[in-house]
Amino acid sequence: MLHDFNGENVMAELQEFIIENYDKNQKIIIYGAGVYGELCLRALQVYGIEVYAFADRRTDLLEYLGVKVIRPRDIKNISNAIVLITSINYIKQIVLYLKEEEIENYYKISKLLRTEIDKEDLSDYAKRTREDPLEYARKIDDYEKEELTINNIDLVITQFCNLKCKDCGSLIPYYQKPCHFEYEKIVLYFDRFLQSVEYIKELRLLGGETFLYPDLVRLVDYYCNNSKIGKVVIYSNGVMKPADSIIEKLFNEKVLIRISNYGKLSKSITEIVDVCKSLNIKYEILDSMIWRDMGGVERRDYSKEQCINVYEKCENAKCPSFCKGKLYICPRAAHGEVLGFYENGIDEYIDFTVDGVNYNDYKWKIEELLFGRNLFGACFYCNGNNKWENAIPAAIQIDREKEK
């Protein structure tokens, strides 16, 4: 049994969609207009099965891959409908919603995803997703076993940065007196968070500039030895190369150094890569010349529906951030509060700094925060990180001389 976001029990097991049992008179609704929705659609098309609609919460999305998009609230009005769940980050939320609406015919698609699909019919993202054919099944398995697995989480370890980017989505240039966070407190608070989590696929250490953090090696070593963490990712802007003696201590099968390429600003990329190659340390280079304009920190005059749209389309909504002992939905929500630009609501973060609390019971709170909402107060102070809109050149520097 699982608990819903109010602590009530719900059945976890999902029925499998079986092609042979499909009645052609049933109207198929794919819940989730994303990459697994695309794979589901293309698999059904292989069998000559027509999809009636996608269901998605984004109110401005009217069509996806040539199929109409309806709102989840409209599903109950469609006769003889069956729902195929493809949104892997919100499985529990979707099941709870369907149960509340008394919609009974919903299914997982683990077997359907094994269908051979012509790659020419797929987007580049879908092709990459197909490279890990078991990811969907793992997410379903986590749900059915009541396990909380998190794809990725940012662990903020420093406010210092060696760039001053005008459009920094994390608002780092606003820190007038940046600081490094104490190793002991980071470990204490994040370990409390880990008590309620079964597995973190990717723990992202960042700031600021991660290589400026004085206890980086110690922190990396600590989390590499934690069986709940699959990968420890060190983010860097490639401006500086740390001493070889530092980098060589980062060698571990779990470690990945992920470097943003900002052109001339990232002047040390070649040196960092050369050292990584010589030490057999895994690394990635991100082509980071385009950002999205998330705007200033002033409050927008959004309606509630507009704010929901900002959240639903925002890539940062998939990037929870752990900062100063608190869990936030995204980096901007975290740094905006720390900087004093706004206060998140009491139910819009989780505080792990309080002593004497049994954090083993926080699983449902974490699920509610990360998967159970459709907007946050911080969204009213942001344009959102929307990959379809507001493209701007990355890492434009603030003129430090004009600031003086």
Side-chain angles (χ1 to χ4, degrees):
M1 302 289 285
L2 283 176
H3 292 88
D4 69 12
F5 299 135
N6 294 310
E8 298 296 326
N9 289 332
V10 296
M11 292 297 296
E13 186 175 355
L14 291 176
Q15 299 179 77
E16 185 74 57
F17 176 74
I18 305 296
I19 286 288
E20 291 76 14
N21 297 339
Y22 169 66
D23 179 348
K24 65 180 181 179
N25 293 315
Q26 294 174 314
K27 296 174 182 175
I28 291 183
I29 308 226
I30 299 176
Y31 201 124
V35 67
Y36 282 101
E38 176 184 349
L39 291 171
C40 180
L41 173 67
R42 299 308 184 204
L44 290 168
Q45 289 173 339
V46 169
Y47 295 99
I49 297 175
E50 183 177 345
V51 171
Y52 178 80
F54 282 94
D56 199 277
R57 295 191 301 180
R58 287 174 286 177
T59 57
D60 63 336
L61 189 63
L62 303 179
E63 184 180 285
Y64 184 62
L65 301 174
V67 178
K68 70 178 178 181
V69 179
I70 63 173
R71 306 287 79 78
R73 64 176 178 268
D74 297 325
I75 297 174
K76 63 183 178 182
N77 299 323
I78 299 169
S79 61
N80 211 20
I82 64 171
V83 180
L84 306 185
I85 297 175
T86 66
S87 181
I88 64 172
N89 291 321
Y90 299 95
I91 297 169
K92 183 173 181 179
Q93 183 186 18
I94 291 169
V95 171
L96 288 171
Y97 176 78
L98 294 174
K99 283 182 173 291
E100 288 171 1
E101 295 293 305
E102 299 183 346
I103 298 168
E104 298 179 353
N105 293 324
Y106 54 86
Y107 301 85
K108 59 185 176 183
I109 57 165
S110 303
K111 292 184 178 179
L112 180 64
L113 289 176
R114 300 174 192 166
T115 304
E116 287 295 324
I117 303 171
D118 189 339
K119 290 184 178 180
E120 296 302 314
D121 294 332
L122 298 176
S123 66
D124 289 342
Y125 187 28
K127 290 174 186 175
R128 292 195 298 272
T129 301
R130 289 273 289 183
E131 293 174 2
D132 185 1
L134 298 179
E135 175 68 10
Y136 177 89
R138 283 196 296 268
K139 284 289 188 178
I140 293 291
D141 194 50
D142 290 341
Y143 165 77
E144 293 179 337
K145 289 181 177 178
E146 305 183 44
E147 293 184 349
L148 176 55
T149 296
I150 296 174
N151 277 344
N152 55 271
I153 187 168
D154 295 353
L155 179 57
V156 181
I157 61 178
T158 183
Q159 297 167 345
F160 281 97
C161 193
N162 44 18
L163 290 179
K164 200 163 189 180
C165 301
K166 179 172 72 73
D167 304 297
C168 175
S170 295
L171 308 175
I172 298 299
Y174 285 98
Y175 285 106
Q176 298 300 310
K177 296 180 179 179
C179 68
H180 298 302
F181 297 126
E182 294 179 37
Y183 168 86
E184 288 78 12
K185 288 186 177 180
I186 291 175
V187 168
L188 172 64
Y189 301 148
F190 199 71
D191 276 2
R192 289 173 174 175
F193 166 72
L194 286 172
Q195 289 178 31
S196 290
V197 176
E198 270 70 40
Y199 192 70
I200 296 175
K201 187 174 180 180
E202 189 171 289
L203 174 62
R204 300 172 175 177
L205 305 181
L206 72 169
E209 167 55 36
T210 314
F211 278 132
L212 295 174
Y213 185 65
D215 281 318
L216 179 62
V217 171
R218 188 180 174 198
L219 198 65
V220 169
D221 184 62
Y222 182 80
Y223 288 120
C224 282
N225 288 313
N226 192 313
S227 61
K228 289 188 174 185
I229 295 172
K231 185 187 297 182
V232 178
V233 181
I234 300 167
Y235 274 74
S236 175
N237 56 30
V239 172
M240 60 167 279
K241 182 184 83 66
D244 291 0
S245 59
I246 298 294
I247 298 183
E248 67 185 17
K249 292 176 182 176
L250 298 176
F251 174 76
N252 189 291
E253 279 300 310
K254 285 188 175 183
V255 170
L256 171 70
I257 298 178
R258 188 170 285 159
I259 311 166
S260 295
N261 183 2
Y262 298 133
K264 292 181 179 179
L265 291 172
S266 303
K267 56 189 178 182
S268 297
I269 283 184
T270 301
E271 293 180 88
I272 297 172
V273 168
D274 287 345
V275 175
C276 287
K277 286 180 177 178
S278 68
L279 298 171
N280 202 28
I281 295 174
K282 289 177 285 190
Y283 68 90
E284 289 178 356
I285 306 294
L286 302 179
D287 183 8
S288 303
M289 296 310 292
I290 297 295
W291 281 356
R292 302 295 161 179
D293 183 8
M294 298 169 71
V297 294
E298 70 282 354
R299 183 181 172 90
R300 279 61 160 172
D301 189 25
Y302 294 144
S303 66
K304 182 178 179 180
E305 184 174 272
Q306 287 172 325
C307 196
I308 290 172
N309 265 338
V310 169
Y311 177 76
E312 294 292 348
K313 294 188 291 183
C314 184
E315 293 298 299
N316 278 20
K318 305 177 184 70
C319 296
S321 184
F322 198 91
C323 182
K324 296 190 71 174
K326 295 179 181 179
L327 177 65
Y328 298 89
I329 190 60
C330 72
R332 195 171 173 104
H335 291 289
E337 178 168 275
V338 173
L339 285 161
F341 291 125
Y342 46 77
E343 289 186 13
N344 292 285
I346 192 66
D347 60 345
E348 295 182 332
Y349 66 90
I350 302 175
D351 189 352
F352 291 89
T353 67
V354 182
D355 297 330
V357 174
N358 181 8
Y359 291 104
N360 289 307
D361 296 333
Y362 269 45
K363 180 184 293 186
W364 71 272
K365 287 188 176 183
I366 296 169
E367 289 178 331
E368 180 180 18
L369 180 74
L370 300 186
F371 311 121
R373 301 176 62 96
N374 59 8
L375 83 161
F376 287 78
C379 300
F380 284 96
Y381 296 83
C382 183
N383 297 342
N385 182 12
N386 178 351
K387 64 183 177 182
W388 299 282
E389 300 171 359
N390 302 326
I392 54 173
I396 299 299
Q397 296 301 289
I398 297 170
D399 190 330
R400 297 174 191 260
E401 291 300 319
K402 287 184 179 179
E403 284 195 321
K404 293 180 180 179

